[in-house]
Amino acid sequence: MYRLVISFLLLLSPVILKANDGYKLWLQYLPFENKAVADYYQDYLGNITLVGKSPTHEVIRRELEIAIEGFFKGTITPSIADHNEYGLIWIAKSEDLSGTFKAAIGEKSKEIKDDGYLIKYSQGKIVVTANSDIGLLYGTFALLKKIQTREKLEGMEILENPKIQLRLLNHWDNLNRTVERGYAGFSIWNWHRLPHHIDQQYIDYARANASIGINGTSVTNVNANALVLTPEYLEKAAALADAFRPYGIKIYLTARFNAPMILDSLPTADPLDLQVQAWWKKKAEEIYSYIPDFGGFLVKADSEGQPGPHNYGRTQAEGANTLADAVKPFGGIVMWRAFVYNEKTPTDRIKQAYDEFKPLDGKFRDNVIVQVKNGPLDFQPREPFHPLFGSMPETPLMMEFQITKEYLGQESHWVNLATMWEEVLQSDTYAKGVGSKVINVLDGSLHGYKLTGMAGVSNIGTDRNWTGHHTGQADWYAFGKLAWNPESHIEEIIGDWLKMTYSNDPDFVNPAKNIALNSYETLVNYMTPLGLHHIMARSHHWGPGPWVTGGGRDDWTATYYHKADKKAIGFDRTESGSNALAQYTPEWKNVWGDPETTPMAFLLWFHRVSWDKKLSTGNSLWDEMALRYQQGVEGARWMQNEWSKLEGKIDTERFTHISSFLNIQATEAEWWRDSCLLYFGQFSGMPLPKGVEKPKHDLQYYLNFKRNFVPGI
Amino acid sequence: MYRLVISFLLLLSPVILKANDGYKLWLQYLPFENKAVADYYQDYLGNITLVGKSPTHEVIRRELEIAIEGFFKGTITPSIADHNEYGLIWIAKSEDLSGTFKAAIGEKSKEIKDDGYLIKYSQGKIVVTANSDIGLLYGTFALLKKIQTREKLEGMEILENPKIQLRLLNHWDNLNRTVERGYAGFSIWNWHRLPHHIDQQYIDYARANASIGINGTSVTNVNANALVLTPEYLEKAAALADAFRPYGIKIYLTARFNAPMILDSLPTADPLDLQVQAWWKKKAEEIYSYIPDFGGFLVKADSEGQPGPHNYGRTQAEGANTLADAVKPFGGIVMWRAFVYNEKTPTDRIKQAYDEFKPLDGKFRDNVIVQVKNGPLDFQPREPFHPLFGSMPETPLMMEFQITKEYLGQESHWVNLATMWEEVLQSDTYAKGVGSKVINVLDGSLHGYKLTGMAGVSNIGTDRNWTGHHTGQADWYAFGKLAWNPESHIEEIIGDWLKMTYSNDPDFVNPAKNIALNSYETLVNYMTPLGLHHIMARSHHWGPGPWVTGGGRDDWTATYYHKADKKAIGFDRTESGSNALAQYTPEWKNVWGDPETTPMAFLLWFHRVSWDKKLSTGNSLWDEMALRYQQGVEGARWMQNEWSKLEGKIDTERFTHISSFLNIQATEAEWWRDSCLLYFGQFSGMPLPKGVEKPKHDLQYYLNFKRNFVPGI
């Protein structure tokens, strides 16, 4: 009778609530759609046994309670047993499994590695098992995901081991709570209230990250403030570390290279100076006294004003090794960023990281990993993979993706970053012949790296939905999934995310997925088609700025990169130009060395092409560019239109929020198209081809357009 | 049958949820506790008729839907009719009432004024009526409050007219989203996304304000940026105004006095310069073209670095009148702050506003209202009422309270500000003899003011609970209630707020109310007992700083105000001193002129008293001071302890949040006590009396204590 009543109500009450601010991310645990669905899962969720005791077990228990509360709209009280013969879901580490289950699982459990897990259906029961507490938590989240996406539990057998060891978020958060390149408000780290107040948001942050396998976080900006290494802040960081520990998330801090000078007035920060080395050792000791499982340092050195070993005529390896030696006794690591380039611009900026690091291969300590951006420039809408991937067999490299959309629409554009990331991850470097994909570099299989990692520059802020744009949550989610397994299918990732976050209704999920999957190419078209790059506005990087020139640093201007004149446009990076191409394997040199064989996506990245050059499409370069900008605008409008059809299928609040951002996106797509075509049209001198709309204003209007207090700087 | 089922479930499902971030403020619409309660209200809420059409009517309809969803946990679908003979709740403007109802209500409806409302029970039905759409919205909120607090509806008759016309929030929010003296994160105004994106939070802000009768908001800092008067920002402000309009909330902007020079390079901002006057007129015209019902300007001039009429040898009236003339044709007003004091400190700072404004009485245009802080200094934990109240019979004065707790614990102290406000509001100025209370000045009854107003400096920010400390919501709520009716009983206000926000369980409400009502005196004791003032840390004002001295501006130091030496402590403001006392009526001069008759709360505010002076308590001044500091600390611990007993009576999330802040408060109370007693003890040379705990550290420790990036500056 009681069960019947519940289901009756579930049927009656609409699943679609009017207000949902998105705070719960993909852990909405949306109510079951109807009686049948509820009944099906209730058999399992009503009979859970969780074996063992640890802070992580408490986290598991709490998560199950939250999930059950959500699934059943609070109509049943979760009850999770420690031991219960009748349990239909058993959650236990392999060492805690009873004989019956051990037998049922058999050899399979031996394949569990690290924090991996196994979920196996056997004789009417589901077993979630792992070798570690954290593995058990991951397994629980995986099972909950299956229920969130309404999959059948019978016959389930999932064995998942992480393919990458270090799965990290990098927060570019300053201690004053501004966020560099942050577009979702301000930093969620309220340093002033730490260590005394642990906000619920920190816990929910840890839950969200654990649910997608993220196991570390660097909480401070790479443009670093040395203060974070003082007791005042270490005490605060330790409180965060304590809060995150049960979720398997380690804390990392950014180290300012000249911290010994700033904090203790040492006369130098030379990494080979004995006093400096002693300073870092003592500092590491101090840090570990606060945070016994401190992860280590993330360092940006010799780049964009940050001090580094160059100041003392030392190499990046010498710099990294001094810090690495300091944390080594405690099991710490150093993530040393390869984003090093000279402020004097002696050569093509995109060549510099390779030139600097390639000769140092093998010269780094074994607890150093070099963190490399996906492309050789700086998170542009589209770049070829970074030539360091495949070029450092003796030095572990980790990937740095930018989840925050500095160059991809910032606040308000919907662009599914996983599409871009997949493009890079699946690129073949040919370092050891065909099949030497970036993925194989990252997972350690190509070169036998002992350390592997992937970092994502966080898009999280104080906005009520965490990420500003609701769809930014998908990028955070997808980053975690790809860090766990870079071979994951992005279509599945976005589909799962939509289901868990919004609705399992296929009439919502399929069209929304379609929008997401088309969003990346659309954005590239209206921003930087044909391999254009770095043509955004100065400093805040919001909106178009192909006219940006001068100002002291050539390699921070647009004209340096597009080099448009009356004859041609594009950066010649072949032998006749900067020869950046030489940093790639011969296979790529062949393809990218000739404009005829270069995919149009990278045409102007590698080549200088005359405006009237006929492309494979039959269009002149100018016409092709104009048509692509137009196509981008139309794509943005299509996204608007497709989304508008989904009204009523999800809650009004998030539907409206995304709608208004899609309006902004369509308007800004026009802004990009009109600005770029008016500007480049001055050089091409050619008319707009048929099908391309006339610009709304003249070029002067766009040149004059200026907004104050653009976020993120 | 259906009804039975619902109630059965309501009985079964616990009202106490585990997670509640407080975002819904006092509009939680908490589920009915049991079947009987639900049944009782369902008769009414299931039969609502709302007559009429307007954007505000849509707001009313939506609010009823939200409320019903909350009360019944989404188990019944709200249905609100336009016309329905069977309606048990009728919501209609007086002009829309049918004959039957008109008769039932009778003469009573003639007593409704402005945006007032009448709720009347008659023959089994409840009528909510008003003369304006906004009045109807206020009436609806009032009815919902009765249901939220589980009051009987039968026999109800409530007639409420606002006692004050202008009921405003003042946001000290900068355009870059930092908030001056903001301790709840950053500004909720996301200017970058405006005008295109209207966030749900703006709507919820308007709902919350309308629910307590607030009818205006000044959205920018009084330390003003002239940019807000440019088309770029006016377009954004207009979008906010459009969003707020259905809720009866007008937008006001802060005007930087030299805006004509900054924005249009005028050679002067002299208010008597014809070009300047023409500029303001044109600017007003422009503003009203964006915002037809723009409220007007709020101005801070000649104060703390802000430009003003002084720069041109003009009076505050001449400055205010130029702006007033500009907005007059459009129905706008100017709120001119009396917080004017000279950076050269020629005389006791607290005398300056009176000295400046009193001679100008009657010289302001009739659309100017002078905005006066509650006390003559600057929002200290305790000040006597401002001597301007009662001294400006020909010039309307409005109150400025500070809801954000710049000097009262900032982030993390629970202090019920309404207690302090009531103290000021109920003060008798004796301006026209006994019964000339500050309230009578503000509501216009004493001097026949045509304009009346009350402003509260907002404590709202991006924190998920809006106000940083959950109990800061109570201050926002109480401010609105007191602005509507300054005679409201604060015990009732805090009780209602607790019920609507947390629970109707008297075992929670009574003890929590008790904590709140004791919090103010507790804070004054551990911060500034016996009339001490301005002894906080420099610049950020967080924590004690009785040692603050030097630095260029005497009147920004602590030593200027406490004047402690080996003999005595306190500021002599009698005839033998600064004679600030002369600004008050003879009744107060008598009481405050003699240390023997001065209440201890203001002893050191008005007098210099020797350390060994015996007070009415039998203690020496030193002993009394030390005992009060100790009492404050004990009070903070008592609050901690009382709160801890309430565990399980409300949701875990808010319970825990408040607990951790109470821990911080108790620790900081000790910090205040120990710092101040160590510092002042140097002068008194006397030992701590029995019962006062020994300081944890020596004075040097407290002098050295320094924290970086303290919020709010």
Side-chain angles (χ1 to χ4, degrees):
Chain A
M1 164 65 190
Y2 178 42
R3 280 270 296 285
L4 241 162
V5 164
I6 292 166
S7 312
F8 179 57
L9 275 175
L10 284 169
L11 272 171
L12 283 175
S13 55
V15 171
I16 296 159
L17 303 166
K18 277 159 189 155
N20 187 329
D21 65 11
Y23 177 74
K24 290 184 184 176
L25 298 161
W26 48 87
L27 300 176
Q28 298 279 332
Y29 302 120
L30 299 168
F32 292 125
E33 288 72 16
N34 56 48
K35 171 173 158 42
V37 174
D39 281 359
Y40 173 70
Y41 289 110
Q42 195 181 340
D43 286 342
Y44 292 99
L45 291 170
N47 295 286
I48 303 177
T49 298
L50 170 64
V51 186
K53 268 202 168 19
S54 78
T56 300
H57 280 76
E58 274 319 295
V59 163
I60 294 171
R61 178 185 305 277
R62 179 77 193 109
E63 196 65 33
L64 290 165
E65 287 170 359
I66 295 170
I68 290 168
E69 196 175 308
F71 290 142
F72 296 98
K73 298 187 75 175
T75 54
I76 70 168
T77 303
S79 134
I80 293 148
D82 290 328
H83 276 90
N84 168 14
E85 283 177 50
Y86 307 104
L88 292 189
I89 294 178
W90 267 78
I91 303 172
K93 283 203 283 185
S94 35
E95 66 195 45
D96 293 330
L97 281 177
S98 68
T100 336
F101 283 116
K102 269 199 178 123
I105 288 172
E107 292 298 295
K108 204 74 198 166
S109 73
K110 292 188 184 143
E111 295 172 37
I112 305 172
K113 292 194 174 57
D114 308 319
D115 289 332
Y117 58 85
L118 172 68
I119 306 178
K120 192 168 160 59
Y121 180 84
S122 170
Q123 297 166 312
K125 300 185 178 194
I126 292 163
V127 184
V128 179
T129 190
N131 296 332
S132 67
D133 294 338
I134 302 303
L136 212 55
L137 176 61
Y138 291 161
T140 303
F141 274 118
L143 176 64
L144 287 172
K145 188 184 98 169
K146 292 292 170 190
I147 301 174
Q148 285 176 281
T149 53
R150 312 298 189 240
E151 292 184 34
K152 275 250 173 261
L153 305 181
E154 289 78 21
M156 185 177 289
E157 181 175 307
I158 301 171
L159 177 77
E160 280 271 354
N161 290 317
K163 294 232 165 68
I164 305 269
Q165 296 159 22
L166 303 163
R167 306 177 295 276
L168 263 65
L169 288 186
N170 286 181
H171 292 266
W172 288 357
D173 292 17
N174 299 311
L175 298 180
N176 67 358
R177 298 190 69 189
T178 57
V179 180
E180 187 164 328
R181 309 312 177 186
Y183 310 104
F186 295 81
S187 175
I188 63 170
W189 314 127
N190 191 323
W191 292 102
H192 185 62
R193 289 183 192 161
L194 285 168
H196 306 295
H197 177 66
I198 295 296
D199 201 88
Q200 179 63 33
Q201 188 158 19
Y202 305 154
I203 305 298
D204 292 329
Y205 168 88
R207 286 175 55 223
N209 279 323
S211 78
I212 52 176
I214 286 173
N215 65 359
T217 182
S218 169
V219 293
T220 47
N221 194 354
V222 289
N223 289 324
N225 189 327
L227 274 177
V228 80
L229 303 180
T230 60
E232 174 183 350
Y233 281 94
L234 290 175
E235 193 188 0
K236 296 167 188 281
L240 283 180
D242 290 344
F244 296 162
R245 193 167 293 113
Y247 298 85
I249 294 165
K250 278 190 184 181
I251 282 260
Y252 298 76
L253 295 173
T254 48
R256 193 170 173 90
F257 195 74
N258 62 354
M261 300 167 74
I262 293 176
L263 299 181
D264 287 309
S265 304
L266 261 58
T268 175
D270 181 350
L272 300 193
D273 182 280
L274 294 181
Q275 218 188 336
V276 170
Q277 292 178 348
W279 188 92
W280 282 108
K281 286 194 171 148
K282 199 158 157 254
K283 183 51 75 181
E285 229 172 86
E286 189 184 19
I287 295 172
Y288 280 91
S289 77
Y290 283 95
I291 311 169
D293 55 354
F294 176 63
F297 294 125
L298 168 62
V299 187
K300 173 177 182 176
D302 292 319
S303 175
E304 301 178 337
Q306 291 296 299
H310 280 180
N311 304 140
Y312 310 96
R314 310 299 181 189
T315 69
Q316 299 300 308
E318 288 166 327
N321 291 344
T322 290
L323 273 66
D325 288 343
V327 293
K328 175 83 177 176
F330 310 97
I333 62 160
V334 169
M335 294 168 291
W336 194 267
R337 293 176 88 232
F339 187 63
V340 172
Y341 66 104
N342 196 300
E343 62 203 27
K344 309 257 161 52
T345 324
T347 179
D348 184 359
R349 172 172 151 191
I350 77 162
K351 290 168 64 178
Q352 297 181 41
Y354 181 97
D355 289 348
E356 175 109 23
F357 280 83
K358 170 74 183 157
L360 299 175
D361 190 23
K363 300 217 158 65
F364 291 90
R365 295 283 189 273
D366 65 0
N367 61 333
V368 174
I369 185 164
V370 173
Q371 183 165 314
V372 183
K373 295 188 183 188
N374 55 284
L377 183 48
D378 188 17
F379 299 134
Q380 294 303 296
R382 180 171 262 145
E383 299 188 31
F385 68 90
H386 200 296
L388 276 174
F389 293 115
S391 306
M392 301 277 280
E394 306 299 325
T395 306
L397 301 186
M398 65 188 284
M399 175 64 81
E400 179 175 310
F401 283 133
Q402 194 181 39
I403 312 176
T404 187
K405 295 188 298 231
E406 178 176 359
Y407 300 101
L408 289 99
Q410 301 191 352
E411 303 259 313
S412 48
H413 293 219
W414 182 354
V415 47
N416 189 50
L417 295 182
T419 310
M420 175 173 73
W421 297 335
E422 186 184 48
E423 217 173 85
V424 175
L425 291 169
Q426 294 290 345
S427 297
D428 202 331
T429 68
Y430 302 117
K432 291 185 171 182
V434 172
S436 309
K437 294 198 286 188
V438 171
I439 286 176
N440 310 121
V441 176
L442 293 177
D443 69 12
S445 60
L446 194 71
H447 304 303
Y449 290 163
K450 290 274 160 33
L451 275 177
T452 59
M454 195 184 291
V457 180
S458 165
N459 61 349
I460 296 171
T462 49
D463 270 16
R464 295 189 56 73
N465 67 5
W466 299 83
T467 55
H469 202 307
H470 280 286
T471 66
Q473 297 179 356
D475 300 324
W476 177 9
Y477 178 84
F479 169 76
K481 289 290 170 186
L482 288 169
W484 177 276
N485 178 9
E487 293 274 17
S488 305
H489 298 289
I490 63 158
E491 202 174 322
E492 195 183 310
I493 290 176
I494 185 77
D496 283 347
W497 175 78
L498 285 165
K499 287 177 192 169
M500 292 190 282
T501 311
Y502 289 96
S503 165
N504 278 284
D505 177 0
D507 289 344
F508 168 78
V509 174
N510 294 331
K513 189 158 63 176
N514 198 21
I515 298 173
L517 293 174
N518 279 287
S519 61
Y520 174 57
E521 207 62 44
T522 292
L523 176 131
V524 171
N525 276 330
Y526 66 67
M527 278 191 182
T528 53
L530 297 171
L532 284 168
H533 50 283
H534 211 291
I535 56 169
M536 68 287 161
R538 201 193 283 275
S539 175
H540 55 59
H541 298 173
W542 175 60
W547 47 74
V548 169
T549 195
R553 281 197 72 148
D554 271 1
D555 56 356
W556 284 2
T557 69
T559 53
Y560 172 88
Y561 292 101
H562 65 66
K563 301 191 189 301
D565 63 18
K566 296 277 175 195
K567 274 187 60 188
I569 182 172
F571 199 129
D572 182 1
R573 292 192 165 110
T574 65
E575 281 186 349
S576 56
S578 79
N579 206 15
L581 194 51
Q583 297 177 341
Y584 290 93
T585 47
E587 289 86 341
W588 283 117
K589 277 183 237 170
N590 285 338
V591 175
W592 289 336
D594 180 351
E596 301 297 332
T597 55
T598 302
M600 282 208 272
F602 295 128
L603 187 60
L604 303 178
W605 182 280
F606 285 114
H607 302 285
R608 197 163 159 65
V609 183
S610 62
W611 291 109
D612 57 3
K613 161 90 182 168
K614 267 272 187 295
L615 304 183
S616 59
T617 54
N619 296 320
S620 67
L621 175 71
W622 167 251
D623 282 1
E624 185 68 28
M625 183 185 288
L627 288 165
R628 291 206 176 210
Y629 271 113
Q630 177 66 26
Q631 201 181 324
V633 168
E634 282 165 16
R637 289 176 190 154
W638 172 84
M639 289 169 71
Q640 247 183 323
N641 191 44
E642 287 301 293
W643 181 257
S644 72
K645 296 177 193 163
L646 302 179
E647 184 162 11
K649 300 208 186 298
I650 62 166
D651 57 282
T652 317
E653 184 171 350
R654 290 184 294 177
F655 174 82
T656 309
H657 193 297
I658 291 176
S659 298
S660 82
F661 273 23
L662 282 168
N663 295 345
I664 296 174
Q665 182 170 7
T667 308
E668 293 191 358
E670 290 179 2
W671 177 28
W672 273 91
R673 178 198 62 191
D674 294 349
S675 299
C676 293
L677 291 180
L678 283 166
Y679 174 79
F680 290 129
Q682 298 179 110
F683 300 103
S684 81
M686 294 160 79
L688 290 176
K690 222 184 122 194
V692 179
E693 294 163 17
K694 291 228 150 39
K696 293 221 166 113
H697 306 275
D698 62 9
L699 180 59
Q700 200 53 48
Y701 171 88
Y702 296 107
L703 291 171
N704 290 344
F705 185 87
K706 191 179 158 292
R707 285 290 175 262
N708 295 281
F709 304 116
V710 177
I713 45 174
Chain B
M1 165 64 190
Y2 179 39
R3 279 271 297 287
L4 241 161
V5 165
I6 292 166
S7 312
F8 179 55
L9 276 174
L10 284 169
L11 272 171
L12 284 175
S13 53
V15 171
I16 296 159
L17 302 166
K18 277 159 188 154
N20 187 328
D21 65 11
Y23 177 74
K24 292 185 184 175
L25 298 161
W26 48 87
L27 301 176
Q28 299 277 332
Y29 302 120
L30 298 168
F32 292 126
E33 288 73 15
N34 57 48
K35 170 171 158 43
V37 175
D39 282 359
Y40 173 70
Y41 289 110
Q42 197 182 339
D43 286 342
Y44 292 98
L45 291 170
N47 296 283
I48 303 177
T49 298
L50 170 64
V51 186
K53 267 200 170 19
S54 79
T56 300
H57 279 76
E58 273 319 294
V59 163
I60 293 171
R61 179 184 305 279
R62 179 78 193 108
E63 196 64 33
L64 290 165
E65 287 171 359
I66 295 170
I68 290 168
E69 196 175 310
F71 289 144
F72 295 98
K73 298 187 75 174
T75 54
I76 69 168
T77 305
S79 135
I80 293 150
D82 289 330
H83 276 90
N84 168 13
E85 284 178 51
Y86 306 104
L88 292 189
I89 295 178
W90 268 77
I91 302 173
K93 284 203 282 187
S94 34
E95 65 196 45
D96 293 329
L97 280 178
S98 69
T100 335
F101 282 116
K102 269 197 177 126
I105 288 173
E107 291 299 296
K108 203 77 198 165
S109 73
K110 294 191 182 139
E111 294 173 38
I112 305 173
K113 291 196 175 58
D114 308 318
D115 289 331
Y117 58 85
L118 171 68
I119 307 178
K120 192 169 160 57
Y121 180 84
S122 171
Q123 294 166 314
K125 302 186 179 194
I126 293 163
V127 183
V128 179
T129 191
N131 296 332
S132 67
D133 293 338
I134 301 303
L136 212 56
L137 176 61
Y138 291 161
T140 304
F141 273 118
L143 175 64
L144 287 172
K145 189 185 98 170
K146 291 292 171 190
I147 301 174
Q148 285 176 281
T149 53
R150 310 298 188 243
E151 292 184 32
K152 275 251 173 260
L153 304 180
E154 289 78 18
M156 186 179 290
E157 181 175 305
I158 301 171
L159 176 79
E160 279 272 353
N161 291 316
K163 294 233 167 68
I164 305 268
Q165 297 160 22
L166 304 163
R167 306 177 296 275
L168 263 67
L169 288 187
N170 287 182
H171 291 265
W172 287 357
D173 292 16
N174 299 311
L175 297 180
N176 67 359
R177 298 189 69 189
T178 56
V179 180
E180 187 164 328
R181 309 310 178 188
Y183 310 103
F186 295 82
S187 174
I188 62 170
W189 314 126
N190 190 322
W191 293 100
H192 185 61
R193 289 183 193 160
L194 284 168
H196 306 295
H197 177 67
I198 295 296
D199 202 88
Q200 178 63 34
Q201 189 158 20
Y202 304 154
I203 305 298
D204 293 328
Y205 168 88
R207 285 175 56 222
N209 280 323
S211 78
I212 52 176
I214 287 173
N215 65 357
T217 181
S218 169
V219 292
T220 46
N221 194 354
V222 289
N223 289 323
N225 188 327
L227 273 178
V228 81
L229 303 179
T230 61
E232 173 183 351
Y233 281 94
L234 290 176
E235 194 189 0
K236 296 166 188 280
L240 282 180
D242 291 344
F244 295 162
R245 193 168 292 112
Y247 299 86
I249 294 165
K250 278 191 186 183
I251 282 260
Y252 298 76
L253 295 174
T254 48
R256 193 170 173 90
F257 195 74
N258 62 353
M261 300 166 74
I262 294 176
L263 298 181
D264 287 307
S265 304
L266 262 59
T268 175
D270 181 351
L272 299 194
D273 182 279
L274 294 181
Q275 217 188 337
V276 170
Q277 291 178 350
W279 188 92
W280 281 108
K281 284 192 172 150
K282 200 159 156 254
K283 183 52 74 181
E285 230 172 85
E286 188 184 21
I287 295 172
Y288 280 91
S289 76
Y290 283 96
I291 311 169
D293 56 354
F294 176 64
F297 295 124
L298 169 62
V299 187
K300 173 177 180 175
D302 292 320
S303 175
E304 300 178 338
Q306 292 295 300
H310 279 181
N311 303 140
Y312 310 97
R314 310 300 181 188
T315 69
Q316 299 300 309
E318 287 166 328
N321 291 345
T322 290
L323 274 66
D325 288 342
V327 293
K328 175 83 178 176
F330 310 97
I333 62 159
V334 169
M335 294 168 291
W336 193 268
R337 293 175 89 233
F339 187 62
V340 173
Y341 66 104
N342 196 298
E343 61 203 26
K344 310 260 163 49
T345 324
T347 178
D348 184 359
R349 173 172 151 193
I350 76 162
K351 289 168 63 178
Q352 297 182 40
Y354 181 98
D355 288 348
E356 175 109 24
F357 280 83
K358 171 71 183 159
L360 299 174
D361 190 25
K363 300 216 157 64
F364 292 89
R365 296 283 188 271
D366 64 1
N367 61 332
V368 174
I369 185 164
V370 173
Q371 183 165 315
V372 183
K373 294 188 184 188
N374 56 283
L377 183 47
D378 188 16
F379 300 134
Q380 293 303 296
R382 179 171 265 145
E383 299 188 29
F385 69 90
H386 201 296
L388 276 173
F389 293 115
S391 305
M392 301 277 280
E394 306 299 325
T395 306
L397 300 186
M398 66 188 284
M399 175 64 80
E400 178 176 311
F401 282 133
Q402 194 182 41
I403 312 176
T404 189
K405 294 186 298 225
E406 177 176 359
Y407 301 101
L408 289 99
Q410 301 191 349
E411 304 257 314
S412 48
H413 293 219
W414 182 355
V415 47
N416 189 52
L417 294 182
T419 311
M420 175 173 71
W421 298 334
E422 185 183 48
E423 216 174 87
V424 175
L425 292 168
Q426 294 290 346
S427 296
D428 202 331
T429 69
Y430 302 117
K432 292 185 170 182
V434 172
S436 309
K437 294 197 287 187
V438 171
I439 286 177
N440 310 123
V441 176
L442 293 177
D443 69 13
S445 61
L446 193 70
H447 303 303
Y449 290 164
K450 291 273 164 27
L451 275 178
T452 59
M454 195 185 291
V457 180
S458 166
N459 62 348
I460 296 172
T462 50
D463 270 17
R464 294 190 55 74
N465 67 6
W466 300 83
T467 54
H469 203 306
H470 281 285
T471 66
Q473 298 180 354
D475 301 324
W476 178 8
Y477 178 85
F479 169 77
K481 289 290 171 184
L482 288 169
W484 177 275
N485 178 7
E487 294 274 16
S488 304
H489 297 290
I490 63 158
E491 202 173 322
E492 195 183 310
I493 289 176
I494 185 76
D496 284 346
W497 176 78
L498 285 164
K499 288 178 191 168
M500 292 190 281
T501 311
Y502 290 97
S503 164
N504 278 284
D505 177 359
D507 289 344
F508 169 77
V509 174
N510 294 332
K513 188 158 64 176
N514 199 22
I515 297 172
L517 293 174
N518 280 286
S519 61
Y520 174 58
E521 206 61 45
T522 292
L523 176 130
V524 172
N525 276 330
Y526 64 69
M527 279 191 181
T528 53
L530 297 171
L532 283 169
H533 49 283
H534 210 292
I535 57 169
M536 68 289 161
R538 199 193 286 274
S539 176
H540 55 59
H541 299 171
W542 175 60
W547 46 76
V548 170
T549 195
R553 280 196 74 148
D554 272 1
D555 57 357
W556 284 1
T557 68
T559 53
Y560 171 89
Y561 293 100
H562 64 65
K563 302 192 189 297
D565 64 17
K566 297 277 174 194
K567 274 186 62 189
I569 181 171
F571 199 129
D572 182 0
R573 291 190 165 110
T574 65
E575 281 187 348
S576 56
S578 79
N579 206 15
L581 193 52
Q583 296 177 341
Y584 290 93
T585 46
E587 289 86 341
W588 283 117
K589 278 182 238 171
N590 284 338
V591 175
W592 290 336
D594 180 351
E596 300 298 332
T597 55
T598 303
M600 280 206 273
F602 296 127
L603 186 60
L604 304 179
W605 182 279
F606 286 113
H607 302 284
R608 194 159 164 65
V609 183
S610 62
W611 291 109
D612 57 1
K613 162 89 181 169
K614 267 270 184 302
L615 304 182
S616 59
T617 54
N619 297 319
S620 68
L621 176 72
W622 167 252
D623 281 3
E624 185 68 29
M625 181 184 288
L627 288 165
R628 291 206 175 208
Y629 272 111
Q630 177 66 26
Q631 201 180 327
V633 169
E634 282 164 16
R637 289 177 191 155
W638 172 84
M639 289 169 71
Q640 248 183 321
N641 190 46
E642 287 301 294
W643 181 257
S644 72
K645 296 176 194 163
L646 303 180
E647 183 161 13
K649 299 206 186 303
I650 62 166
D651 57 283
T652 318
E653 184 172 350
R654 290 184 294 177
F655 174 81
T656 308
H657 193 299
I658 292 176
S659 298
S660 81
F661 274 22
L662 282 168
N663 295 346
I664 296 174
Q665 182 169 8
T667 308
E668 294 191 358
E670 290 179 2
W671 177 28
W672 272 91
R673 178 198 60 191
D674 294 349
S675 298
C676 294
L677 292 180
L678 283 166
Y679 173 79
F680 291 130
Q682 299 178 110
F683 301 102
S684 81
M686 294 159 79
L688 290 175
K690 220 183 125 196
V692 179
E693 294 162 16
K694 290 229 151 36
K696 291 218 167 119
H697 306 276
D698 62 10
L699 180 58
Q700 199 55 47
Y701 170 88
Y702 296 106
L703 290 171
N704 290 344
F705 184 86
K706 190 180 159 292
R707 284 290 175 263
N708 295 282
F709 304 116
V710 177
I713 45 173

